[in-house]
Amino acid sequence: MRTTTAIPTEIKAGATLKVLMNHIYELHKGVRHMVLFTCNKKYSELAIQRLESQGIPYLLQPAGQQNLNVYFGRRECLEAIRLIVTRPLNQLTPEEDFILGTMLGYDLCAQCERYCKRKGQCEGKCQGKCEECINRN
């Protein structure tokens, strides 16, 4: 029989803020130009306070009943996000999904493979080896 142990709210909040702080650090260091941070709505005030205290622009989008997507980073990136992400992420077109993933700095070959799969053009055998898939087709 498996038992689960509830994690105290303070620990969850601490872990959530630790992830947020790492994203902010990467943004300040230039590792990222934009970040998508998803958190439970009950932690959104803490996240927003932190971003505002550091003068970081952000954009909020509901993500289901209990979560919130917080996009933050460069203004020009957020303006593009405002135009592209106009509905829940699982409803984005393959093209919108590709653009978003690329803007977030996700692995380019993985994004290409994901795009091809969503368009029904990839057999899913690429496994990050785009040239093999291209040569095969």
Side-chain angles (χ1 to χ4, degrees):
M1 183 166 98
R2 193 173 111 165
T3 60
T4 58
T5 305
I7 299 173
T9 303
E10 303 81 38
I11 293 174
K12 288 180 186 177
T16 299
L17 287 178
K18 190 173 183 178
V19 170
L20 175 65
M21 293 306 298
N22 186 66
H23 287 317
I24 291 172
Y25 172 82
E26 289 179 347
L27 184 71
H28 286 311
K29 290 295 182 182
V31 175
R32 300 176 184 272
H33 297 296
M34 190 182 74
V35 174
L36 168 55
F37 174 70
T38 303
C39 66
N40 189 293
K41 288 179 181 176
K42 63 184 169 187
Y43 304 126
S44 63
E45 283 299 316
L46 293 170
I48 291 167
Q49 287 174 357
R50 180 60 66 156
L51 294 171
E52 288 181 351
S53 73
Q54 296 196 26
I56 299 172
Y58 63 90
L59 178 65
L60 305 175
Q61 181 188 52
Q65 295 292 325
Q66 297 181 12
N67 291 328
L68 185 69
N69 284 335
V70 182
Y71 297 89
F72 62 92
R74 303 275 302 265
R75 278 193 200 286
E76 53 269 32
C77 295
L78 293 175
E79 287 304 318
I81 290 301
R82 192 181 319 276
L83 296 171
I84 296 167
V85 185
T86 58
R87 57 195 172 284
L89 296 180
N90 65 344
Q91 294 177 12
L92 295 180
T93 66
E95 291 78 11
E96 291 165 334
D97 181 82
F98 178 81
I99 292 168
L100 176 61
T102 304
M103 289 178 69
L104 290 168
Y106 299 166
D107 177 82
L108 183 57
C109 283
Q111 284 303 114
C112 290
E113 184 176 348
R114 177 180 168 91
Y115 174 73
C116 291
K117 281 182 188 176
R118 290 193 68 198
K119 292 294 281 188
Q121 300 298 312
C122 182
E123 300 168 9
K125 297 177 184 174
C126 300
Q127 298 175 349
K129 301 179 180 112
C130 301
E131 63 281 350
E132 288 180 23
C133 183
I134 291 168
N135 290 335
R136 189 172 55 246
N137 294 322

